[in-house]
Amino acid sequence: FFELSVAPMEGPQSERTMVLTLRDLSEARRVERMRVDFVANASHELRTPLASLLGFVETLQGPARDDAQARVRFLAIMREQAQRMTRLVDDLLSLSRIEQNLHLRPQTPVDMVAILRHIADTLAPMARDNGVVIKLEAPCAVIVRGDRDELLRVVENLVENAIKYGASEPASVNRTVEIMLTEQERQCVLSVRDYGPGIAPEHLPRLTERFYRVDAGQSRAKGGTGLGLAIVKHIVARHRGRLGIESKPGAGATFSVTLPLQAS
Ligand code: ADP
């Protein structure tokens, strides 16, 4: 789509010139459509747990008023729904904060190895509960410039996904998640690999879109918001890095992040 506008250019009356401007609107339209879709998706994601919460409140005030067993059961579900809404709102806020500062480059020296160790420890209980083993292979220290909390978030999202959608799936060949960190040509290369069911090629280019999921039911059941990889993509871009996704259906997935090393 193009917008055509005509305007007279200033000059002496005898040499009056007209200026024709052709503006490409397709990009503006695409951005506007994405914004509208995003608001619709976010509202839908919030409405679903809200509707369920309201339903349970009404049941507890009405038919199940004197049913002690139902009360315990329903309150547990209501708590889960409220937690889901909290996760979603937290992710929406993170995303909007990161998007607002997309070009601001965070500047503190951060040791990526310390981040990997921290996440491997934090997620050890989740891995254990799912029968998954986390393997970590890294040198002593690898320093990049960045924002520690944001880089923690990247590693946490990738490792959590590898446990949730990869290693813990019944179709998984092998219940390990391998986290590897190497230095290559002045770059820090992080990879998170699982041997789960993998991702079909048609989904790969869309995985980092906000609210895009291969299987929305599965993601919700596992506590996903559909925003994790969108957040990862933005943080990596802010750090002048690259996110790579490789997968062979039936043979797992590898998510890799390449970041520039801190200049010494
Ligand atoms: P979610 O909150 O749903 O986990 P993400 O943005 O983190 O959202 O991931 C988007 C989708 O990508 C997930 O719903 C899942 O379908 C797919 N996915 C992510 N990581 C993996 C993986 N390691 N193996 C298979 N599928 C994955």
PDB file of all heavy atoms in Angstrom, residues 50-89:
ATOM      1  N   LEU A  50      -9.725 -15.446  34.135  1.00  0.00           N
ATOM      2  CA  LEU A  50     -10.685 -14.618  34.869  1.00  0.00           C
ATOM      3  C   LEU A  50     -12.073 -15.251  34.853  1.00  0.00           C
ATOM      4  O   LEU A  50     -12.762 -15.295  35.876  1.00  0.00           O
ATOM      5  CB  LEU A  50     -10.792 -13.245  34.205  1.00  0.00           C
ATOM      6  CG  LEU A  50     -10.123 -12.086  34.909  1.00  0.00           C
ATOM      7  CD1 LEU A  50     -10.372 -10.795  34.143  1.00  0.00           C
ATOM      8  CD2 LEU A  50     -10.617 -11.944  36.342  1.00  0.00           C
ATOM      9  N   ALA A  51     -12.481 -15.757  33.660  1.00  0.00           N
ATOM     10  CA  ALA A  51     -13.806 -16.374  33.530  1.00  0.00           C
ATOM     11  C   ALA A  51     -13.875 -17.601  34.435  1.00  0.00           C
ATOM     12  O   ALA A  51     -14.889 -17.838  35.106  1.00  0.00           O
ATOM     13  CB  ALA A  51     -14.058 -16.766  32.079  1.00  0.00           C
ATOM     14  N   SER A  52     -12.765 -18.357  34.474  1.00  0.00           N
ATOM     15  CA  SER A  52     -12.759 -19.550  35.299  1.00  0.00           C
ATOM     16  C   SER A  52     -12.852 -19.169  36.789  1.00  0.00           C
ATOM     17  O   SER A  52     -13.632 -19.772  37.543  1.00  0.00           O
ATOM     18  CB  SER A  52     -11.504 -20.349  34.970  1.00  0.00           C
ATOM     19  OG  SER A  52     -11.063 -21.077  36.051  1.00  0.00           O
ATOM     20  N   LEU A  53     -12.107 -18.132  37.177  1.00  0.00           N
ATOM     21  CA  LEU A  53     -12.161 -17.671  38.572  1.00  0.00           C
ATOM     22  C   LEU A  53     -13.582 -17.264  38.965  1.00  0.00           C
ATOM     23  O   LEU A  53     -14.100 -17.672  40.014  1.00  0.00           O
ATOM     24  CB  LEU A  53     -11.261 -16.439  38.735  1.00  0.00           C
ATOM     25  CG  LEU A  53      -9.833 -16.660  39.196  1.00  0.00           C
ATOM     26  CD1 LEU A  53      -9.066 -15.349  39.201  1.00  0.00           C
ATOM     27  CD2 LEU A  53      -9.827 -17.263  40.597  1.00  0.00           C
ATOM     28  N   LEU A  54     -14.215 -16.466  38.095  1.00  0.00           N
ATOM     29  CA  LEU A  54     -15.577 -16.000  38.372  1.00  0.00           C
ATOM     30  C   LEU A  54     -16.539 -17.168  38.507  1.00  0.00           C
ATOM     31  O   LEU A  54     -17.385 -17.186  39.405  1.00  0.00           O
ATOM     32  CB  LEU A  54     -16.053 -15.099  37.232  1.00  0.00           C
ATOM     33  CG  LEU A  54     -15.919 -13.611  37.474  1.00  0.00           C
ATOM     34  CD1 LEU A  54     -16.401 -12.841  36.257  1.00  0.00           C
ATOM     35  CD2 LEU A  54     -16.750 -13.211  38.706  1.00  0.00           C
ATOM     36  N   GLY A  55     -16.360 -18.159  37.614  1.00  0.00           N
ATOM     37  CA  GLY A  55     -17.217 -19.349  37.639  1.00  0.00           C
ATOM     38  C   GLY A  55     -17.115 -20.048  38.991  1.00  0.00           C
ATOM     39  O   GLY A  55     -18.129 -20.415  39.606  1.00  0.00           O
ATOM     40  N   PHE A  56     -15.884 -20.217  39.483  1.00  0.00           N
ATOM     41  CA  PHE A  56     -15.700 -20.904  40.763  1.00  0.00           C
ATOM     42  C   PHE A  56     -16.240 -20.075  41.932  1.00  0.00           C
ATOM     43  O   PHE A  56     -16.822 -20.629  42.870  1.00  0.00           O
ATOM     44  CB  PHE A  56     -14.228 -21.246  40.984  1.00  0.00           C
ATOM     45  CG  PHE A  56     -13.792 -22.431  40.184  1.00  0.00           C
ATOM     46  CD1 PHE A  56     -12.878 -22.298  39.159  1.00  0.00           C
ATOM     47  CD2 PHE A  56     -14.324 -23.686  40.453  1.00  0.00           C
ATOM     48  CE1 PHE A  56     -12.496 -23.392  38.413  1.00  0.00           C
ATOM     49  CE2 PHE A  56     -13.939 -24.793  39.709  1.00  0.00           C
ATOM     50  CZ  PHE A  56     -13.023 -24.646  38.683  1.00  0.00           C
ATOM     51  N   VAL A  57     -16.064 -18.753  41.873  1.00  0.00           N
ATOM     52  CA  VAL A  57     -16.601 -17.898  42.947  1.00  0.00           C
ATOM     53  C   VAL A  57     -18.118 -18.077  43.005  1.00  0.00           C
ATOM     54  O   VAL A  57     -18.705 -18.287  44.082  1.00  0.00           O
ATOM     55  CB  VAL A  57     -16.244 -16.406  42.702  1.00  0.00           C
ATOM     56  CG1 VAL A  57     -17.023 -15.504  43.652  1.00  0.00           C
ATOM     57  CG2 VAL A  57     -14.754 -16.176  42.869  1.00  0.00           C
ATOM     58  N   GLU A  58     -18.760 -18.047  41.821  1.00  0.00           N
ATOM     59  CA  GLU A  58     -20.222 -18.182  41.800  1.00  0.00           C
ATOM     60  C   GLU A  58     -20.656 -19.549  42.325  1.00  0.00           C
ATOM     61  O   GLU A  58     -21.630 -19.666  43.070  1.00  0.00           O
ATOM     62  CB  GLU A  58     -20.749 -17.954  40.379  1.00  0.00           C
ATOM     63  CG  GLU A  58     -20.822 -16.467  40.057  1.00  0.00           C
ATOM     64  CD  GLU A  58     -20.906 -16.180  38.565  1.00  0.00           C
ATOM     65  OE1 GLU A  58     -21.176 -17.110  37.775  1.00  0.00           O
ATOM     66  OE2 GLU A  58     -20.672 -15.002  38.193  1.00  0.00           O
ATOM     67  N   THR A  59     -19.911 -20.596  41.959  1.00  0.00           N
ATOM     68  CA  THR A  59     -20.265 -21.940  42.447  1.00  0.00           C
ATOM     69  C   THR A  59     -20.113 -22.003  43.967  1.00  0.00           C
ATOM     70  O   THR A  59     -20.953 -22.578  44.665  1.00  0.00           O
ATOM     71  CB  THR A  59     -19.356 -23.006  41.783  1.00  0.00           C
ATOM     72  OG1 THR A  59     -19.341 -22.761  40.393  1.00  0.00           O
ATOM     73  CG2 THR A  59     -19.834 -24.409  42.054  1.00  0.00           C
ATOM     74  N   LEU A  60     -19.027 -21.395  44.457  1.00  0.00           N
ATOM     75  CA  LEU A  60     -18.800 -21.438  45.916  1.00  0.00           C
ATOM     76  C   LEU A  60     -19.826 -20.601  46.687  1.00  0.00           C
ATOM     77  O   LEU A  60     -20.148 -20.908  47.827  1.00  0.00           O
ATOM     78  CB  LEU A  60     -17.386 -20.940  46.245  1.00  0.00           C
ATOM     79  CG  LEU A  60     -16.266 -21.927  45.934  1.00  0.00           C
ATOM     80  CD1 LEU A  60     -14.904 -21.284  46.140  1.00  0.00           C
ATOM     81  CD2 LEU A  60     -16.398 -23.163  46.823  1.00  0.00           C
ATOM     82  N   GLN A  61     -20.336 -19.556  46.029  1.00  0.00           N
ATOM     83  CA  GLN A  61     -21.367 -18.746  46.702  1.00  0.00           C
ATOM     84  C   GLN A  61     -22.747 -19.386  46.572  1.00  0.00           C
ATOM     85  O   GLN A  61     -23.633 -19.091  47.343  1.00  0.00           O
ATOM     86  CB  GLN A  61     -21.413 -17.348  46.092  1.00  0.00           C
ATOM     87  CG  GLN A  61     -20.249 -16.478  46.515  1.00  0.00           C
ATOM     88  CD  GLN A  61     -20.263 -15.126  45.833  1.00  0.00           C
ATOM     89  OE1 GLN A  61     -20.703 -15.020  44.684  1.00  0.00           O
ATOM     90  NE2 GLN A  61     -19.790 -14.112  46.527  1.00  0.00           N
ATOM     91  N   GLY A  62     -22.890 -20.256  45.551  1.00  0.00           N
ATOM     92  CA  GLY A  62     -24.204 -20.843  45.277  1.00  0.00           C
ATOM     93  C   GLY A  62     -24.244 -22.320  45.622  1.00  0.00           C
ATOM     94  O   GLY A  62     -24.202 -22.692  46.805  1.00  0.00           O
ATOM     95  N   PRO A  63     -24.266 -23.185  44.584  1.00  0.00           N
ATOM     96  CA  PRO A  63     -24.513 -24.618  44.811  1.00  0.00           C
ATOM     97  C   PRO A  63     -23.529 -25.292  45.766  1.00  0.00           C
ATOM     98  O   PRO A  63     -23.914 -26.203  46.485  1.00  0.00           O
ATOM     99  CB  PRO A  63     -24.388 -25.229  43.408  1.00  0.00           C
ATOM    100  CG  PRO A  63     -24.039 -24.136  42.473  1.00  0.00           C
ATOM    101  CD  PRO A  63     -24.108 -22.838  43.184  1.00  0.00           C
ATOM    102  N   ALA A  64     -22.251 -24.842  45.786  1.00  0.00           N
ATOM    103  CA  ALA A  64     -21.270 -25.558  46.628  1.00  0.00           C
ATOM    104  C   ALA A  64     -21.039 -24.858  47.966  1.00  0.00           C
ATOM    105  O   ALA A  64     -20.050 -25.117  48.642  1.00  0.00           O
ATOM    106  CB  ALA A  64     -19.963 -25.698  45.854  1.00  0.00           C
ATOM    107  N   ARG A  65     -21.974 -23.986  48.344  1.00  0.00           N
ATOM    108  CA  ARG A  65     -21.790 -23.157  49.550  1.00  0.00           C
ATOM    109  C   ARG A  65     -21.406 -23.983  50.790  1.00  0.00           C
ATOM    110  O   ARG A  65     -20.552 -23.597  51.571  1.00  0.00           O
ATOM    111  CB  ARG A  65     -23.099 -22.408  49.816  1.00  0.00           C
ATOM    112  CG  ARG A  65     -23.018 -21.393  50.938  1.00  0.00           C
ATOM    113  CD  ARG A  65     -24.420 -20.974  51.326  1.00  0.00           C
ATOM    114  NE  ARG A  65     -25.114 -20.360  50.191  1.00  0.00           N
ATOM    115  CZ  ARG A  65     -25.202 -19.045  49.981  1.00  0.00           C
ATOM    116  NH1 ARG A  65     -24.665 -18.231  50.855  1.00  0.00           N
ATOM    117  NH2 ARG A  65     -25.837 -18.569  48.945  1.00  0.00           N
ATOM    118  N   ASP A  66     -22.063 -25.150  50.957  1.00  0.00           N
ATOM    119  CA  ASP A  66     -21.812 -25.916  52.183  1.00  0.00           C
ATOM    120  C   ASP A  66     -20.979 -27.169  51.949  1.00  0.00           C
ATOM    121  O   ASP A  66     -20.947 -28.072  52.778  1.00  0.00           O
ATOM    122  CB  ASP A  66     -23.163 -26.302  52.818  1.00  0.00           C
ATOM    123  CG  ASP A  66     -23.976 -25.050  53.121  1.00  0.00           C
ATOM    124  OD1 ASP A  66     -23.386 -24.085  53.659  1.00  0.00           O
ATOM    125  OD2 ASP A  66     -25.180 -25.026  52.765  1.00  0.00           O
ATOM    126  N   ASP A  67     -20.318 -27.226  50.806  1.00  0.00           N
ATOM    127  CA  ASP A  67     -19.548 -28.423  50.465  1.00  0.00           C
ATOM    128  C   ASP A  67     -18.063 -28.182  50.772  1.00  0.00           C
ATOM    129  O   ASP A  67     -17.336 -27.554  50.010  1.00  0.00           O
ATOM    130  CB  ASP A  67     -19.770 -28.731  48.969  1.00  0.00           C
ATOM    131  CG  ASP A  67     -19.095 -30.027  48.543  1.00  0.00           C
ATOM    132  OD1 ASP A  67     -18.172 -30.481  49.250  1.00  0.00           O
ATOM    133  OD2 ASP A  67     -19.496 -30.562  47.492  1.00  0.00           O
ATOM    134  N   ALA A  68     -17.613 -28.692  51.929  1.00  0.00           N
ATOM    135  CA  ALA A  68     -16.245 -28.406  52.389  1.00  0.00           C
ATOM    136  C   ALA A  68     -15.202 -28.974  51.421  1.00  0.00           C
ATOM    137  O   ALA A  68     -14.174 -28.346  51.159  1.00  0.00           O
ATOM    138  CB  ALA A  68     -16.032 -28.975  53.777  1.00  0.00           C
ATOM    139  N   GLN A  69     -15.473 -30.167  50.883  1.00  0.00           N
ATOM    140  CA  GLN A  69     -14.506 -30.805  49.965  1.00  0.00           C
ATOM    141  C   GLN A  69     -14.351 -30.008  48.679  1.00  0.00           C
ATOM    142  O   GLN A  69     -13.250 -29.766  48.197  1.00  0.00           O
ATOM    143  CB  GLN A  69     -14.977 -32.212  49.617  1.00  0.00           C
ATOM    144  CG  GLN A  69     -14.410 -33.236  50.561  1.00  0.00           C
ATOM    145  CD  GLN A  69     -14.849 -34.632  50.185  1.00  0.00           C
ATOM    146  OE1 GLN A  69     -15.705 -34.813  49.303  1.00  0.00           O
ATOM    147  NE2 GLN A  69     -14.274 -35.610  50.843  1.00  0.00           N
ATOM    148  N   ALA A  70     -15.514 -29.575  48.153  1.00  0.00           N
ATOM    149  CA  ALA A  70     -15.481 -28.783  46.917  1.00  0.00           C
ATOM    150  C   ALA A  70     -14.716 -27.489  47.158  1.00  0.00           C
ATOM    151  O   ALA A  70     -13.953 -27.036  46.311  1.00  0.00           O
ATOM    152  CB  ALA A  70     -16.897 -28.487  46.441  1.00  0.00           C
ATOM    153  N   ARG A  71     -14.899 -26.920  48.347  1.00  0.00           N
ATOM    154  CA  ARG A  71     -14.233 -25.647  48.643  1.00  0.00           C
ATOM    155  C   ARG A  71     -12.711 -25.800  48.540  1.00  0.00           C
ATOM    156  O   ARG A  71     -12.035 -25.021  47.895  1.00  0.00           O
ATOM    157  CB  ARG A  71     -14.633 -25.151  50.035  1.00  0.00           C
ATOM    158  CG  ARG A  71     -14.154 -23.751  50.289  1.00  0.00           C
ATOM    159  CD  ARG A  71     -14.898 -23.039  51.390  1.00  0.00           C
ATOM    160  NE  ARG A  71     -14.921 -23.807  52.625  1.00  0.00           N
ATOM    161  CZ  ARG A  71     -16.030 -24.174  53.248  1.00  0.00           C
ATOM    162  NH1 ARG A  71     -17.209 -23.853  52.777  1.00  0.00           N
ATOM    163  NH2 ARG A  71     -15.965 -24.859  54.376  1.00  0.00           N
ATOM    164  N   VAL A  72     -12.189 -26.872  49.154  1.00  0.00           N
ATOM    165  CA  VAL A  72     -10.732 -27.092  49.128  1.00  0.00           C
ATOM    166  C   VAL A  72     -10.256 -27.258  47.681  1.00  0.00           C
ATOM    167  O   VAL A  72      -9.264 -26.669  47.251  1.00  0.00           O
ATOM    168  CB  VAL A  72     -10.374 -28.354  49.964  1.00  0.00           C
ATOM    169  CG1 VAL A  72      -8.899 -28.709  49.811  1.00  0.00           C
ATOM    170  CG2 VAL A  72     -10.718 -28.117  51.426  1.00  0.00           C
ATOM    171  N   ARG A  73     -10.979 -28.064  46.930  1.00  0.00           N
ATOM    172  CA  ARG A  73     -10.584 -28.358  45.546  1.00  0.00           C
ATOM    173  C   ARG A  73     -10.653 -27.090  44.686  1.00  0.00           C
ATOM    174  O   ARG A  73      -9.719 -26.752  43.958  1.00  0.00           O
ATOM    175  CB  ARG A  73     -11.531 -29.419  44.977  1.00  0.00           C
ATOM    176  CG  ARG A  73     -10.909 -30.337  43.966  1.00  0.00           C
ATOM    177  CD  ARG A  73     -11.583 -31.709  43.970  1.00  0.00           C
ATOM    178  NE  ARG A  73     -13.031 -31.644  44.147  1.00  0.00           N
ATOM    179  CZ  ARG A  73     -13.910 -31.480  43.162  1.00  0.00           C
ATOM    180  NH1 ARG A  73     -13.488 -31.298  41.928  1.00  0.00           N
ATOM    181  NH2 ARG A  73     -15.197 -31.470  43.408  1.00  0.00           N
ATOM    182  N   PHE A  74     -11.771 -26.370  44.810  1.00  0.00           N
ATOM    183  CA  PHE A  74     -11.967 -25.189  43.959  1.00  0.00           C
ATOM    184  C   PHE A  74     -10.971 -24.087  44.307  1.00  0.00           C
ATOM    185  O   PHE A  74     -10.455 -23.403  43.440  1.00  0.00           O
ATOM    186  CB  PHE A  74     -13.398 -24.647  44.084  1.00  0.00           C
ATOM    187  CG  PHE A  74     -14.431 -25.564  43.474  1.00  0.00           C
ATOM    188  CD1 PHE A  74     -15.788 -25.318  43.637  1.00  0.00           C
ATOM    189  CD2 PHE A  74     -14.047 -26.665  42.714  1.00  0.00           C
ATOM    190  CE1 PHE A  74     -16.737 -26.153  43.073  1.00  0.00           C
ATOM    191  CE2 PHE A  74     -14.996 -27.517  42.152  1.00  0.00           C
ATOM    192  CZ  PHE A  74     -16.343 -27.254  42.348  1.00  0.00           C
ATOM    193  N   LEU A  75     -10.703 -23.940  45.623  1.00  0.00           N
ATOM    194  CA  LEU A  75      -9.748 -22.884  46.006  1.00  0.00           C
ATOM    195  C   LEU A  75      -8.364 -23.165  45.419  1.00  0.00           C
ATOM    196  O   LEU A  75      -7.653 -22.244  45.017  1.00  0.00           O
ATOM    197  CB  LEU A  75      -9.674 -22.744  47.533  1.00  0.00           C
ATOM    198  CG  LEU A  75     -10.846 -21.966  48.134  1.00  0.00           C
ATOM    199  CD1 LEU A  75     -10.805 -22.023  49.662  1.00  0.00           C
ATOM    200  CD2 LEU A  75     -10.843 -20.499  47.671  1.00  0.00           C
ATOM    201  N   ALA A  76      -7.996 -24.457  45.352  1.00  0.00           N
ATOM    202  CA  ALA A  76      -6.680 -24.800  44.776  1.00  0.00           C
ATOM    203  C   ALA A  76      -6.643 -24.404  43.298  1.00  0.00           C
ATOM    204  O   ALA A  76      -5.651 -23.843  42.817  1.00  0.00           O
ATOM    205  CB  ALA A  76      -6.405 -26.293  44.950  1.00  0.00           C
ATOM    206  N   ILE A  77      -7.746 -24.672  42.580  1.00  0.00           N
ATOM    207  CA  ILE A  77      -7.788 -24.313  41.153  1.00  0.00           C
ATOM    208  C   ILE A  77      -7.763 -22.792  41.003  1.00  0.00           C
ATOM    209  O   ILE A  77      -7.069 -22.240  40.147  1.00  0.00           O
ATOM    210  CB  ILE A  77      -9.055 -24.888  40.468  1.00  0.00           C
ATOM    211  CG1 ILE A  77      -9.104 -26.402  40.626  1.00  0.00           C
ATOM    212  CG2 ILE A  77      -9.083 -24.516  38.980  1.00  0.00           C
ATOM    213  CD1 ILE A  77     -10.375 -27.052  40.114  1.00  0.00           C
ATOM    214  N   MET A  78      -8.510 -22.109  41.879  1.00  0.00           N
ATOM    215  CA  MET A  78      -8.570 -20.638  41.786  1.00  0.00           C
ATOM    216  C   MET A  78      -7.190 -20.023  42.020  1.00  0.00           C
ATOM    217  O   MET A  78      -6.784 -19.080  41.360  1.00  0.00           O
ATOM    218  CB  MET A  78      -9.576 -20.088  42.800  1.00  0.00           C
ATOM    219  CG  MET A  78     -11.005 -20.403  42.400  1.00  0.00           C
ATOM    220  SD  MET A  78     -12.158 -20.184  43.756  1.00  0.00           S
ATOM    221  CE  MET A  78     -12.232 -18.414  43.828  1.00  0.00           C
ATOM    222  N   ARG A  79      -6.476 -20.617  42.956  1.00  0.00           N
ATOM    223  CA  ARG A  79      -5.124 -20.119  43.224  1.00  0.00           C
ATOM    224  C   ARG A  79      -4.237 -20.282  41.988  1.00  0.00           C
ATOM    225  O   ARG A  79      -3.483 -19.391  41.612  1.00  0.00           O
ATOM    226  CB  ARG A  79      -4.558 -20.930  44.396  1.00  0.00           C
ATOM    227  CG  ARG A  79      -3.229 -20.464  44.825  1.00  0.00           C
ATOM    228  CD  ARG A  79      -2.656 -21.413  45.841  1.00  0.00           C
ATOM    229  NE  ARG A  79      -1.319 -20.980  46.106  1.00  0.00           N
ATOM    230  CZ  ARG A  79      -0.798 -20.902  47.301  1.00  0.00           C
ATOM    231  NH1 ARG A  79      -1.502 -21.226  48.344  1.00  0.00           N
ATOM    232  NH2 ARG A  79       0.436 -20.518  47.441  1.00  0.00           N
ATOM    233  N   GLU A  80      -4.363 -21.448  41.341  1.00  0.00           N
ATOM    234  CA  GLU A  80      -3.576 -21.719  40.129  1.00  0.00           C
ATOM    235  C   GLU A  80      -3.891 -20.705  39.021  1.00  0.00           C
ATOM    236  O   GLU A  80      -3.005 -20.191  38.350  1.00  0.00           O
ATOM    237  CB  GLU A  80      -3.944 -23.109  39.627  1.00  0.00           C
ATOM    238  CG  GLU A  80      -2.768 -23.931  39.184  1.00  0.00           C
ATOM    239  CD  GLU A  80      -3.236 -25.350  38.981  1.00  0.00           C
ATOM    240  OE1 GLU A  80      -3.864 -25.608  37.946  1.00  0.00           O
ATOM    241  OE2 GLU A  80      -2.997 -26.183  39.884  1.00  0.00           O
ATOM    242  N   GLN A  81      -5.188 -20.410  38.868  1.00  0.00           N
ATOM    243  CA  GLN A  81      -5.594 -19.450  37.828  1.00  0.00           C
ATOM    244  C   GLN A  81      -5.054 -18.046  38.134  1.00  0.00           C
ATOM    245  O   GLN A  81      -4.605 -17.336  37.249  1.00  0.00           O
ATOM    246  CB  GLN A  81      -7.124 -19.381  37.696  1.00  0.00           C
ATOM    247  CG  GLN A  81      -7.788 -20.689  37.335  1.00  0.00           C
ATOM    248  CD  GLN A  81      -7.472 -21.109  35.909  1.00  0.00           C
ATOM    249  OE1 GLN A  81      -6.711 -20.464  35.212  1.00  0.00           O
ATOM    250  NE2 GLN A  81      -8.061 -22.200  35.473  1.00  0.00           N
ATOM    251  N   ALA A  82      -5.104 -17.680  39.424  1.00  0.00           N
ATOM    252  CA  ALA A  82      -4.598 -16.353  39.808  1.00  0.00           C
ATOM    253  C   ALA A  82      -3.086 -16.297  39.569  1.00  0.00           C
ATOM    254  O   ALA A  82      -2.557 -15.276  39.119  1.00  0.00           O
ATOM    255  CB  ALA A  82      -4.935 -16.065  41.258  1.00  0.00           C
ATOM    256  N   GLN A  83      -2.396 -17.413  39.846  1.00  0.00           N
ATOM    257  CA  GLN A  83      -0.940 -17.444  39.602  1.00  0.00           C
ATOM    258  C   GLN A  83      -0.652 -17.309  38.115  1.00  0.00           C
ATOM    259  O   GLN A  83       0.300 -16.650  37.708  1.00  0.00           O
ATOM    260  CB  GLN A  83      -0.334 -18.742  40.139  1.00  0.00           C
ATOM    261  CG  GLN A  83      -0.176 -18.714  41.651  1.00  0.00           C
ATOM    262  CD  GLN A  83       0.140 -20.078  42.232  1.00  0.00           C
ATOM    263  OE1 GLN A  83      -0.134 -21.109  41.613  1.00  0.00           O
ATOM    264  NE2 GLN A  83       0.694 -20.088  43.434  1.00  0.00           N
ATOM    265  N   ARG A  84      -1.497 -17.943  37.304  1.00  0.00           N
ATOM    266  CA  ARG A  84      -1.309 -17.865  35.857  1.00  0.00           C
ATOM    267  C   ARG A  84      -1.453 -16.420  35.374  1.00  0.00           C
ATOM    268  O   ARG A  84      -0.680 -15.933  34.557  1.00  0.00           O
ATOM    269  CB  ARG A  84      -2.348 -18.764  35.183  1.00  0.00           C
ATOM    270  CG  ARG A  84      -2.223 -18.776  33.697  1.00  0.00           C
ATOM    271  CD  ARG A  84      -3.132 -19.827  33.117  1.00  0.00           C
ATOM    272  NE  ARG A  84      -3.627 -19.399  31.831  1.00  0.00           N
ATOM    273  CZ  ARG A  84      -4.664 -19.929  31.232  1.00  0.00           C
ATOM    274  NH1 ARG A  84      -5.335 -20.902  31.809  1.00  0.00           N
ATOM    275  NH2 ARG A  84      -5.044 -19.495  30.064  1.00  0.00           N
ATOM    276  N   MET A  85      -2.468 -15.723  35.942  1.00  0.00           N
ATOM    277  CA  MET A  85      -2.653 -14.324  35.544  1.00  0.00           C
ATOM    278  C   MET A  85      -1.470 -13.476  35.990  1.00  0.00           C
ATOM    279  O   MET A  85      -1.039 -12.575  35.276  1.00  0.00           O
ATOM    280  CB  MET A  85      -3.948 -13.775  36.142  1.00  0.00           C
ATOM    281  CG  MET A  85      -5.157 -14.360  35.459  1.00  0.00           C
ATOM    282  SD  MET A  85      -6.668 -13.849  36.254  1.00  0.00           S
ATOM    283  CE  MET A  85      -6.637 -12.128  35.936  1.00  0.00           C
ATOM    284  N   THR A  86      -0.943 -13.770  37.160  1.00  0.00           N
ATOM    285  CA  THR A  86       0.214 -13.007  37.653  1.00  0.00           C
ATOM    286  C   THR A  86       1.404 -13.201  36.715  1.00  0.00           C
ATOM    287  O   THR A  86       2.086 -12.241  36.355  1.00  0.00           O
ATOM    288  CB  THR A  86       0.603 -13.491  39.075  1.00  0.00           C
ATOM    289  OG1 THR A  86      -0.570 -13.491  39.857  1.00  0.00           O
ATOM    290  CG2 THR A  86       1.650 -12.612  39.707  1.00  0.00           C
ATOM    291  N   ARG A  87       1.648 -14.465  36.305  1.00  0.00           N
ATOM    292  CA  ARG A  87       2.771 -14.744  35.389  1.00  0.00           C
ATOM    293  C   ARG A  87       2.596 -13.971  34.092  1.00  0.00           C
ATOM    294  O   ARG A  87       3.523 -13.373  33.561  1.00  0.00           O
ATOM    295  CB  ARG A  87       2.815 -16.243  35.063  1.00  0.00           C
ATOM    296  CG  ARG A  87       3.729 -17.040  35.961  1.00  0.00           C
ATOM    297  CD  ARG A  87       4.023 -18.403  35.368  1.00  0.00           C
ATOM    298  NE  ARG A  87       2.852 -19.133  34.941  1.00  0.00           N
ATOM    299  CZ  ARG A  87       2.113 -19.917  35.717  1.00  0.00           C
ATOM    300  NH1 ARG A  87       2.431 -20.064  36.978  1.00  0.00           N
ATOM    301  NH2 ARG A  87       1.070 -20.550  35.250  1.00  0.00           N
ATOM    302  N   LEU A  88       1.356 -13.985  33.600  1.00  0.00           N
ATOM    303  CA  LEU A  88       1.091 -13.317  32.326  1.00  0.00           C
ATOM    304  C   LEU A  88       1.326 -11.807  32.435  1.00  0.00           C
ATOM    305  O   LEU A  88       1.989 -11.206  31.585  1.00  0.00           O
ATOM    306  CB  LEU A  88      -0.352 -13.613  31.898  1.00  0.00           C
ATOM    307  CG  LEU A  88      -0.741 -13.111  30.533  1.00  0.00           C
ATOM    308  CD1 LEU A  88       0.126 -13.747  29.459  1.00  0.00           C
ATOM    309  CD2 LEU A  88      -2.206 -13.426  30.249  1.00  0.00           C
ATOM    310  N   VAL A  89       0.795 -11.207  33.502  1.00  0.00           N
ATOM    311  CA  VAL A  89       0.972  -9.759  33.676  1.00  0.00           C
ATOM    312  C   VAL A  89       2.458  -9.442  33.856  1.00  0.00           C
ATOM    313  O   VAL A  89       2.974  -8.481  33.275  1.00  0.00           O
ATOM    314  CB  VAL A  89       0.118  -9.245  34.864  1.00  0.00           C
ATOM    315  CG1 VAL A  89       0.443  -7.805  35.179  1.00  0.00           C
ATOM    316  CG2 VAL A  89      -1.362  -9.385  34.534  1.00  0.00           C
TER     317      VAL A  89
END
